[in-house]
Amino acid sequence: MCGIVGLFLKDKALEPQLGALLSDMLITMTDRGPDSAGIAIYGPSEAGSGKITVQSADPAMDFKGLKVVLTKKLGVPVSVTVRATHAVIAVESGKLDAARTALKELRPGITVMGCGESVEIYKEVGLPKDVAARFKIGAMAGTHGIGHTRMATESAVTTFGAHPFSTGPDQCLVHNGSLSNHNNLRRELVRNGLRFETENDTEVAAAYLSHKLATGSNLGAALESGLSDLDGFYTFVVGTKSGFGVLRDPIACKPSVMAETDGYVAFGSEYRALVNLPGIDAARVWEPEPATVYFWEH
């Protein structure tokens, strides 16, 4: 069944509240998927600086001394901010790929959740309220974010099966539904150089959009092309560094609602996810149309 939410802020005054607002939206969707939960936050970025969000099943071992060994390996300053089982590694943007390679060698138990200039991704098995509290999501600021609470259908209940999925810099996706052609698409994308960490169909959708974005499409065009290339039933909410997009399949059997004010655009699987947002009583509220791309950019 799954529950998905998204919030794109147009009013900078709301940015300090992003984590708190998004967490509340996702917690409201808990009964749609109690298996695992995750949130992506697009926060402040610095010119020339990148970051990698990583996860470890043994953070006490894997994160100990990580700053020192990575700095030595890369030859540039590195910072490591630990948040429970996750850590955010900050390094100059030109060293992101080298840092990912070094992590595989130095800490093979670490898994990359996402990387880029602004995105941080936190996800674990458990209820949204517990995941949000563990990573202190409510205290995070940012411009936009997406979240997901999962009822597993296509793969095991694990951290790595949780959403959001990220397969490109500052890109991530959450999904309610099921793709029927994900195995064929995965093989095609692998031939185009994409890498996969799981058997989850949502990772294939994320990689498909990453491939389209990498080959010249903007977010709107990438979502539009998905209507002809992705088979199944789905509602996607997608984040990029500057953008936020929504797409439902042509049948649109999964519930969805959106709201827009001068301050934000919000998405929820159900209206109750939106009821605590500021100014919601005056918002334009609608059900997104089937096979119609919606996207906003800063």
Side-chain angles (χ1 to χ4, degrees):
M1 187 162 63
C2 299
I4 53 180
V5 298
L7 186 60
F8 178 89
L9 300 179
K10 298 189 284 184
D11 182 356
K12 285 187 171 293
L14 291 173
E15 291 181 6
Q17 302 177 55
L18 176 66
L21 293 171
L22 196 62
S23 296
D24 180 76
M25 293 170 70
L26 189 62
I27 290 167
T28 305
M29 293 287 94
T30 297
D31 60 356
R32 293 190 62 87
D35 298 331
S36 57
I39 287 180
I41 296 284
Y42 287 84
S45 61
E46 298 180 12
S49 180
K51 50 189 174 182
I52 306 172
T53 311
V54 298
Q55 186 270 357
S56 170
D58 188 2
M61 178 66 70
D62 283 333
F63 297 156
K64 183 178 180 180
L66 181 58
K67 174 183 175 179
V68 174
V69 295
L70 260 185
T71 298
K72 182 178 179 180
K73 183 74 173 178
L74 298 175
V76 296
V78 172
S79 72
V80 178
T81 303
V82 176
R83 291 180 179 267
T85 57
H86 288 45
V88 178
I89 301 166
V91 64
E92 63 181 62
S93 55
K95 291 286 188 178
L96 281 175
D97 287 342
R100 292 185 67 150
T101 300
L103 283 168
K104 288 184 178 181
E105 175 188 338
L106 298 169
R107 296 289 193 273
I110 279 178
T111 300
V112 173
M113 298 285 101
C115 71
E117 295 182 3
S118 63
V119 73
E120 297 178 13
I121 297 175
Y122 301 91
K123 57 184 187 178
E124 283 286 9
V125 171
L127 300 175
K129 69 178 180 64
D130 297 327
V131 172
R134 178 182 298 176
F135 301 117
K136 299 181 172 59
I137 303 294
M140 295 183 187
T143 55
H144 55 298
I146 62 178
H148 186 276
T149 184
R150 182 175 185 234
M151 180 176 289
T153 57
E154 292 292 336
S155 58
V157 178
T158 66
T159 297
F160 312 114
H163 304 205
F165 280 94
S166 178
T167 53
D170 285 313
Q171 299 164 22
C172 63
L173 177 147
V174 294
H175 171 207
N176 183 20
S178 179
L179 298 180
S180 57
N181 66 334
H182 61 95
N183 287 323
N184 288 338
L185 272 175
R186 183 184 286 107
R187 287 191 288 269
E188 181 179 336
L189 291 166
V190 167
R191 287 195 293 269
N192 283 300
L194 276 294
R195 296 176 298 177
F196 292 89
E197 303 293 336
T198 75
E199 295 299 315
N200 193 290
D201 62 330
T202 304
E203 188 180 16
V204 174
Y208 170 84
L209 293 177
S210 293
H211 177 62
K212 289 294 181 181
L213 291 167
T215 52
S217 297
N218 66 13
L219 178 57
L223 289 168
E224 188 74 39
S225 65
L227 288 169
S228 59
D229 294 337
L230 302 174
D231 292 333
F233 51 96
Y234 51 82
T235 297
F236 297 134
V237 180
V238 183
T240 66
K241 183 182 178 182
S242 61
F244 171 84
V246 172
L247 178 67
R248 302 174 80 193
D249 68 83
I251 298 173
C253 62
K254 294 297 183 180
S256 303
V257 63
M258 300 193 72
E260 184 170 15
T261 70
D262 290 340
Y264 59 79
V265 178
F267 174 95
S269 291
E270 299 177 36
Y271 178 73
R272 59 193 169 107
L274 312 180
V275 295
N276 292 327
L277 290 173
I280 190 65
D281 290 343
R284 179 174 76 93
V285 179
W286 76 99
E287 180 182 352
E289 294 290 334
T292 302
V293 172
Y294 299 85
F295 79 104
W296 291 260
E297 289 188 301
H298 286 118

